[in-house]
């Protein structure tokens, strides 16, 4: 396994009247090549958890181990962990500061000592990996770009470190449907082509269905569910209990199930169509479905 989170607890402003316990005894493991979605209500601890994965936060109890190294280390070993596990923050464009897209994407590898042609090749690769045209955009200010492009620059600026794990905190928040689809497709390509491990924090069930194989749900700082995405999507009441709204696609499947058709929860519209063809139409019964 690549990342081990063992019995981790974390409290903000500990030992003050304002203390907030954000994580309580959280344990999970992430293997190379996996694609994991972290879900849960607002304030349940998702961002706090993902900031533990690259040593940005260290546990007050328990431990986090990345590729065999405890994140409490300092110096070069900590830098190595940060390079292996690239973290893209919630609304990352708020933290951009360089004058050009090139400099923004080059910032982290430059700090790692990459320079000259290798640096240029690295920046080109990272930009193209997220679908940004290198020649057309490299000299632009990041602030001249659209929201979707800016978000992709932010992801490229982490990818340029060549991380093994990409952790994205709400990567599609605030994007229009086109920007969202483009970004998710690029992430899928990165998984397929480079075997990148992806950890995705999301509120959006459709994004989760497109990207994740496994779902971890947090509730008030604890792990409430950890299992395959299809297993999570199988029970509407459980999703709602955790504050997660089923997508229209899943709702359609749940409505059919409520009427006695044993359709499996679909991840794509095509899957729902096939389920309907196999399990509903085959019975040749007229069914009235209210959506
Ligand atoms: N810097 C901070 N100082 C104090 N409390 C904090 C801080 N950051 C987060 N918290 C609190 O810790 C808890 C967990 O917050 P966290 O940001 O991890 O939740 P989240 O699941 O990412 O929420 P969201 O879905 O809104 O992004 C919340 O109660 C939050 O108010
Ligand atoms: Mg958050």
């Amino acid at each position: 396994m690549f990342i081990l989170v063992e019995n981790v607890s974390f409290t903000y402003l500990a030992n003050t009247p304002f203390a907030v316990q954000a994580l309580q005894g959280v344990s999970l493991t992430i293997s190379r090549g996996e694609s994991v979605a972290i879900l849960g209500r607002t304030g349940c601890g998702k961002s706090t958890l993902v900031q533990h994965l690259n040593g940005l936060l260290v546990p007050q109890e328990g431990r986090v181990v990345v590729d065999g190294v405890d994140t409490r280390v300092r110096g070069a070993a900590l830098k190595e962990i940060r390079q292996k596990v690239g973290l893209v923050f919630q609304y990352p464009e708020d933290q951009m500061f360089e004058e050009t897209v090139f400099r923004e994407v080059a910032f982290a590898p430059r700090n790692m000592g990459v320079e000259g042609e290798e640096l240029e090749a690295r920046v080109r690769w990272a930009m193209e990996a997220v679908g940004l045209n290198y020649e057309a955009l490299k000299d632009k200010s990041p602030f001249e770009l659209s929201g979707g492009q800016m978000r992709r620059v932010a992801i490229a600026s982490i990818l340029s470190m060549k991380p093994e794990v990409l952790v994205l905190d709400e990567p599609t928040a605030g994007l229009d449907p086109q920007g969202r689809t483009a970004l998710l497709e690029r992430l899928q390509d990165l998984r397929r082509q480079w075997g990148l491990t992806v950890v995705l924090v999301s509120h959006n069930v459709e994004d989760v269905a497109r990207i994740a194989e496994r779902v971890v749900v947090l509730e008030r700082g604890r792990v409430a569910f950890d299992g395959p995405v299809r297993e999570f999507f199988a029970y509407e009441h459980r999703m709602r209990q955790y504050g997660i709204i089923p997508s229209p696609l899943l709702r359609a499947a749940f409505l059919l199930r409520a009427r006695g058709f044993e359709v499996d929860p679909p991840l794509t519209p095509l899957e729902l169509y096939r389920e309907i063809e196999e399990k509903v139409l085959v019975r040749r019964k007229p069914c009235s479905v209210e959506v």
Side-chain angles (χ1 to χ4, degrees):
M1 132 260 317
F2 190 59
I3 300 180
L4 167 74
V5 175
E6 196 174 66
N7 216 8
V8 165
S9 296
F10 185 86
T11 301
Y12 288 101
L13 307 168
N15 307 317
T16 75
F18 309 105
V20 180
Q21 182 149 31
L23 298 177
Q24 300 185 47
V26 169
S27 294
L28 54 99
T29 59
I30 297 169
S31 304
R32 276 202 166 82
E34 259 197 307
S35 169
V36 184
I38 315 247
L39 287 108
R41 286 172 213 277
T42 203
C44 69
K46 303 179 296 293
S47 295
T48 307
L49 172 61
V50 295
Q51 288 173 57
H52 276 79
L53 302 181
N54 77 342
L56 204 62
L57 294 178
V58 289
Q60 289 151 348
E61 276 173 51
R63 60 183 186 143
V64 176
V65 180
V66 175
D67 208 8
V69 181
D70 192 307
T71 57
R72 282 197 191 85
V73 285
R74 286 167 189 272
L78 179 61
K79 264 190 158 175
E80 207 172 299
I81 288 176
R82 298 244 168 103
Q83 186 265 314
K84 278 184 187 165
V85 183
L87 172 64
V88 182
F89 283 99
Q90 224 165 340
Y91 295 105
E93 46 281 357
D94 293 350
Q95 299 184 9
M96 286 185 181
F97 56 92
E98 292 284 359
E99 281 162 25
T100 65
V101 169
F102 182 92
R103 292 177 63 89
E104 190 69 47
V105 179
F107 183 79
R110 200 174 252 155
N111 272 352
M112 287 159 52
V114 181
E115 46 191 32
E117 276 176 23
E118 196 192 337
L119 183 65
E120 204 182 310
R122 190 73 82 88
V123 172
R124 181 189 286 272
W125 172 84
M127 285 178 64
E128 286 173 357
V130 294
L132 294 172
N133 184 317
Y134 175 77
E135 295 297 342
L137 297 176
K138 70 179 167 58
D139 298 321
K140 289 212 165 173
S141 158
F143 303 100
E144 285 173 55
L145 308 180
S146 72
Q149 284 176 324
M150 266 170 103
R151 190 67 56 84
R152 283 192 267 169
V153 169
I155 296 173
S157 68
I158 299 295
L159 271 183
S160 60
M161 292 191 296
K162 295 242 169 161
E164 292 175 48
V165 183
L166 188 61
V167 182
L168 303 126
D169 197 346
E170 298 276 6
T172 62
L175 296 187
D176 62 22
Q178 237 179 340
R180 222 182 96 204
T181 303
L183 181 56
L184 291 172
E185 279 172 5
R186 286 297 159 175
L187 289 175
Q188 280 298 43
D189 289 347
L190 284 166
R191 289 201 60 220
R192 274 194 291 263
Q193 289 170 15
W194 286 286
L196 195 73
T197 307
V198 174
V199 178
L200 173 88
V201 172
S202 184
H203 277 108
N204 188 309
V205 168
E206 282 172 37
D207 292 2
V208 172
R210 281 202 217 174
I211 293 259
E213 293 158 347
R214 175 177 154 209
V215 168
V216 173
V217 180
L218 293 184
E219 242 200 345
R220 289 193 213 97
R222 297 176 187 274
V223 175
F225 176 90
D226 182 351
V229 65
R230 282 182 199 278
E231 196 181 311
F232 181 65
F233 284 167
Y235 299 101
E236 182 173 15
H237 69 271
R238 185 170 60 192
M239 289 179 74
R240 292 194 184 270
Q241 180 193 331
Y242 298 143
I244 293 148
I245 316 282
S247 60
L249 200 64
L250 282 172
R251 281 201 61 215
F254 293 143
L255 286 167
L256 289 168
R257 284 165 76 115
R259 281 159 180 75
F261 298 104
E262 293 294 315
V263 295
D264 289 327
L267 299 184
T268 62
L270 185 63
E271 277 186 21
L272 179 62
Y273 172 77
R274 292 211 168 117
E275 285 291 298
I276 291 174
E277 216 174 29
E278 270 176 39
K279 296 173 182 166
V280 181
L281 298 180
V282 86
R283 282 166 60 172
R284 289 177 191 283
K285 251 189 180 172
C287 68
S288 63
V289 176
E290 293 159 30
V291 181

